[in-house]
Amino acid sequence: LADATWTTFRIATLGSLLGALLALPLGVLTARNLGAPQPLRLVAKSALDVSRAIHTLVFGIVLVGIVGLGPTAGILAIAFHSMGTYGKLFAESIETLDMAAINAVRAVGASPTQVFFNAVWPAVLPQFVSSHLYVWEFNIRDSTILGLIGAGGLGLLITEATALFQWGRLATVLIVIVLLVVGFDALSRRIRKALA
């Protein structure tokens, strides 16, 4: 049970991190106030929309067929679906920025990379962290479902318990899932409060 819980937590954590890393450049391109070229913005927005439209479970089924059973399929499924949510949240955070600071950095001849790291990144980092915790919390729950299709973790124990009609074992796994989600929810709430 402890090993399955750790696997579930790893799937959610690594998938969330990969999703956030993939979404960051797409979110920057999608943000209208940063003035990315229109074709690039449309491609980035389309990629985020498609990613968000396809459920984690669907990604999981496809990826289990491609990479095989195990946590790798779960991590990639979480990452590909989360990428769309992260990208949208990141773009919206950037679009709420005061453009005066960004224009001031541009006015001194800074490159787009310098503008991002000197004016955009420091201003949106607290919102990015808050968004990451929020999506990560959802992914903890999603990672338990992915075990049902062969990605490992607590979902695999649920499948085994129901197949063998072991209702006591199933109840134990469900209690662990509830405790995991509630514990992570409390932790993320405390971190978000500290950042506010």
Side-chain angles (χ1 to χ4, degrees), residues 14 70 85:
L14 295 175
T85 307

Side-chain angles (χ1 to χ4, degrees), residues 5 10 22 27-28 42 47 54 73 90 94 96 120 123 125 132 155 163 175:
T5 304
R10 263 187 329 175
L22 292 172
V28 170
L42 287 174
I54 300 171
F90 289 172
I94 293 168
T96 61
V120 176
L125 185 58
H132 179 65
I175 289 168

Side-chain angles (χ1 to χ4, degrees), residues 51 76 117 128 134 154 167:
S51 170
L76 292 174
F117 283 108
F128 279 14
Y134 183 71
L154 292 169
W167 308 121

Side-chain angles (χ1 to χ4, degrees), residues 29 42 48 68 80 97 111 129 167:
L29 289 171
L42 287 174
L48 294 176
F80 290 152
L97 290 178
S111 69
V129 172
W167 308 121

Side-chain angles (χ1 to χ4, degrees), residues 17 47 122 128 131 133 138 154 165 173 180 192 195:
L17 184 60
F128 279 14
S131 297
L133 290 169
F138 273 100
L154 292 169
F165 305 106
V173 175
L180 181 65
R192 278 200 296 270
L195 289 171

Side-chain angles (χ1 to χ4, degrees), residues 80-151:
F80 290 152
H81 177 70
S82 299
M83 181 179 76
T85 307
Y86 277 126
K88 183 177 174 59
L89 293 172
F90 289 172
E92 287 176 357
S93 297
I94 293 168
E95 287 172 356
T96 61
L97 290 178
D98 178 16
M99 288 302 294
I102 295 171
N103 291 333
V105 175
R106 281 181 178 151
V108 297
S111 69
T113 305
Q114 290 171 322
V115 169
F116 178 76
F117 283 108
N118 291 309
V120 176
W121 183 250
V124 296
L125 185 58
Q127 286 177 294
F128 279 14
V129 172
S130 181
S131 297
H132 179 65
L133 290 169
Y134 183 71
V135 176
W136 191 10
E137 187 183 315
F138 273 100
N139 289 340
I140 292 282
R141 288 187 284 269
D142 277 356
S143 63
T144 61
I145 297 168
L146 289 171
L148 300 173
I149 57 164

